[in-house]
Amino acid sequence: MKVVAFERQAQGTGASRRMRNAGKVPGIVYGGEQKPQLIELDHNALYHALKKEQFHSSILDLTVGEQQTKVLLKAFQVHPFRPLVLHVDFMRVAADRKISMKVPLHFKGAEESPAVKLEGAMITHVLNEIEVSCLPGDLPEFIEVDLSGLSKGHSLHASDLKLPDGVSVVTHGAENPAVASVLSKGGESSEEAAPAEGAAPAAP
């Protein structure tokens, strides 16, 4: 996706307020070997871009004057109750350096799964996004999760995901987090419903 910005000279609270009143959003570009660069963007264009999933999980082509830079959206600040973007941060990326980024999960096949179709259960999404590590050129816009094989008593974990070449999951210490789980009619998850290994059967 392409993002058009303009170099910003003015700084400070007063300058940012005047900029917002003029329909602009202050921002900054940082990272790499270059110094941080102050920018401003058109508010309405940025506001609508932030509603798109792709804008949050893709390498963006940022144009400032005649300069083009590959960046990631790293943070943005919005007004607590007005539809107003207050500030935005972009981070430069280098083609030969790995990045860590959260990408959305797109679920499919739940209705065809034995859990739903034959066993009257339902499947809950434990995670809606997952962090991955890869080179910028390998970053997927999303990861597809096939639920069609799930049956009662089972869950789908991070290790079960089919990842593109060069992409790995970042779990931050969690051994193998669940991505989706089967719920029984009583609302109990498959992992809760399964008895612990070696546990004694319940008394009649």
Side-chain angles (χ1 to χ4, degrees):
M1 293 183 67
K2 293 184 178 181
V3 182
V4 178
F6 304 90
E7 193 164 5
R8 171 166 60 101
Q9 302 296 337
Q11 301 183 49
T13 304
S16 294
R17 187 182 302 113
R18 290 190 296 272
M19 195 180 306
R20 295 184 188 110
N21 289 338
K24 304 292 183 182
V25 180
I28 188 170
V29 185
Y30 62 88
E33 298 179 355
Q34 298 171 264
K35 293 181 179 179
Q37 182 181 22
L38 300 178
I39 58 173
E40 61 181 61
L41 304 92
D42 178 79
H43 177 273
N44 288 343
L46 178 62
Y47 181 79
H48 290 295
L50 286 169
K51 293 184 176 182
K52 299 178 181 178
E53 182 182 80
Q54 182 184 7
F55 193 73
H56 296 259
S57 59
S58 300
I59 304 296
L60 306 173
D61 293 313
L62 178 67
T63 300
V64 183
E66 297 183 355
Q67 182 183 15
Q68 291 189 345
T69 309
K70 300 286 187 182
V71 300
L72 289 171
L73 173 68
K74 290 302 292 182
F76 62 96
Q77 181 184 0
V78 296
H79 195 277
F81 56 85
R82 293 171 56 194
L84 187 66
V85 186
L86 302 177
H87 196 274
V88 62
D89 293 3
F90 295 102
M91 185 184 75
R92 301 183 187 99
V93 297
D96 59 347
R97 294 185 181 180
K98 284 191 173 185
I99 57 173
S100 293
M101 189 76 177
K102 288 184 178 180
V103 297
L105 299 174
H106 286 189
F107 296 90
K108 70 169 189 176
E111 296 301 320
E112 290 76 42
S113 69
V116 175
K117 195 172 183 178
L118 303 176
E119 300 164 342
M122 61 181 293
I123 297 175
T124 182
H125 302 164
V126 180
L127 300 177
N128 290 313
E129 61 181 13
I130 198 162
E131 188 170 348
V132 300
S133 175
C134 61
L135 292 173
D138 295 329
L139 181 66
E141 291 183 16
F142 61 87
I143 294 174
E144 192 170 73
V145 184
D146 186 2
L147 303 175
S148 62
L150 277 181
S151 56
K152 191 178 291 186
H154 292 86
S155 295
L156 201 68
H157 292 79
S159 62
D160 300 316
L161 297 176
K162 293 183 179 179
L163 303 174
D165 291 341
V167 178
S168 59
V169 171
V170 179
T171 58
H172 296 290
E175 187 173 340
N176 190 19
V179 173
S181 183
V182 178
L183 289 180
S184 64
K185 287 183 178 180
E188 193 175 40
S189 74
S190 56
E191 292 189 341
E192 292 170 341
E197 186 176 346

